Amino acid sequence: MTSGEFDISHIRLGERPLIVCDVDDVVLQFIGPFQLFLQSQGCAFLPRSFRLHGNIVSQADGVEIEDQEVSRLIEEFFEAQELWQTPLDRVVETLDRLSEEADILFLTAMQPRFQNQRRRLLDRMGLLFPLLATEQPKGPIVHALHASRSLPVIFIDDMALNLHSVRDHVADCLLIHLVPNSPVHRFAPAAANDITRATDWTHVAALIEAHFVSGTFTRAVPAA
C-alpha cells in the first residue's frame, strides 16, 4: 500500500489494534537535547514561539541565527541524534506492555535520510517497532495503513497539526495529544476539543487501555 509517493507496502500489520506514535518529544526527548546540542555549537534557543527558526541566537552576541544556518543545525542534530536524544520517562516499558495486545508503529516527521540513525537509536533502547520517517502529512499515511480495518487505531503526537490531519482522514481513531513539559510547548497551538490530552506515558497507557475495553469506535471522519 502507498500514500501518494510514500511507500508503506513493507509494513505488515496483524489482526489486532494499531498504535501509531510520533517520536520527537513523544518517545524521544527533543527540545532538551537540542538545546544542549546548540550550546555545544555556541548557540542558544530562546523559547519565544512554537518554532525553531527565528528563536536561535549566538551565545557570543545574542544575534539571531539566519534561517539557512538554523536548518543546517537541525540537520546536524539529526545526523548526531544518537549522541544526544534520550527516551521519555516510562515510554520503553509502556510501549513494551502495549505491544502485547497491539501493533505499534513509529511515524516520525523527519527527512528519510536520517532514518538509519533513528533506527539504531530506537533499537538501542529496545524500541524495535517499525519506523516510518517522512515530512508528508500524517493523516493520509495513517489512513493508508489502517485502510478499512475494523480494529481500534490510536494516534499519539505532540503537535495539533498532525493530530488534526489524522482526525480528518481516519474514522474511529483515538487521538492523544501528549504534550511535554517544555518552555517551547507553552506556545504550541491547542488541539481541537475532541482530541484527548495526556500528561505522560502512564496517562497514555490508561487512555489506550480504557479505549480497548470500551469497544466504542464510532467517531466519523468530518466531511471535507
Side-chain angles (χ1 to χ4, degrees):
M1 70 186 114
T2 62
S3 177
E5 298 299 319
F6 187 62
D7 183 19
I8 57 174
S9 60
H10 58 291
I11 301 297
R12 297 288 183 267
L13 301 177
E15 291 299 315
R16 56 191 200 147
L18 171 64
I19 300 171
V20 181
C21 187
D22 181 36
V23 176
D24 286 309
D25 273 336
V26 173
V27 172
L28 299 177
Q29 303 277 358
F30 173 77
I31 289 295
F34 186 60
Q35 287 178 300
L36 294 174
F37 169 78
L38 290 175
Q39 291 174 18
S40 76
Q41 302 297 307
C43 300
F45 175 69
L46 303 181
R48 301 178 294 198
S49 65
F50 191 59
R51 60 194 305 268
L52 300 179
H53 291 82
N55 288 328
I56 296 176
V57 301
S58 167
Q59 286 183 324
D61 53 20
V63 173
E64 185 177 303
I65 304 297
E66 294 183 359
D67 283 354
Q68 184 176 357
E69 178 66 7
V70 171
S71 296
R72 183 190 66 79
L73 287 166
I74 295 170
E75 291 182 0
E76 287 192 2
F77 175 76
F78 281 134
E79 186 73 43
Q81 61 187 277
E82 297 166 85
L83 302 176
W84 297 95
Q85 290 188 268
T86 56
L88 268 72
D89 289 343
R90 303 196 64 79
V91 65
V92 175
E93 55 266 45
T94 301
L95 288 179
D96 183 62
R97 186 173 74 253
L98 289 170
S99 70
E100 295 176 1
E101 53 186 325
D103 286 334
I104 296 173
L105 182 140
F106 295 131
L107 179 57
T108 185
M110 185 178 67
Q111 294 182 36
R113 65 192 180 96
F114 300 118
Q115 177 159 327
N116 288 341
Q117 293 93 320
R118 176 138 295 175
R119 179 74 275 167
R120 289 192 300 264
L121 177 56
L122 292 169
D123 287 353
R124 194 174 75 216
M125 296 171 179
L127 296 166
L128 308 178
F129 312 111
L131 169 69
L132 295 174
T134 178
E135 294 183 304
Q136 292 190 23
K138 294 188 176 182
I141 294 173
V142 178
H143 177 265
L145 285 164
H146 189 59
S148 59
R149 289 159 34 103
S150 59
L151 294 158
V153 57
I154 296 96
F155 178 71
I156 309 164
D157 207 291
D158 68 315
M159 296 184 67
L161 176 69
N162 295 326
L163 290 155
H164 294 165
S165 176
V166 173
R167 178 195 60 186
D168 294 342
H169 287 86
V170 183
D172 303 334
C173 183
L174 173 62
L175 302 161
I176 299 178
H177 192 191
L178 180 57
V179 184
N181 182 19
S182 79
V184 69
H185 279 85
R186 292 194 311 238
F187 298 96
N193 291 334
D194 60 342
I195 294 173
T196 305
R197 187 182 178 99
T199 55
D200 54 30
W201 271 98
T202 299
H203 190 188
V204 169
L207 291 169
I208 292 174
E209 294 290 354
H211 186 63
F212 288 166
V213 170
S214 72
T216 55
F217 318 119
T218 57
R219 186 182 58 79
V221 172

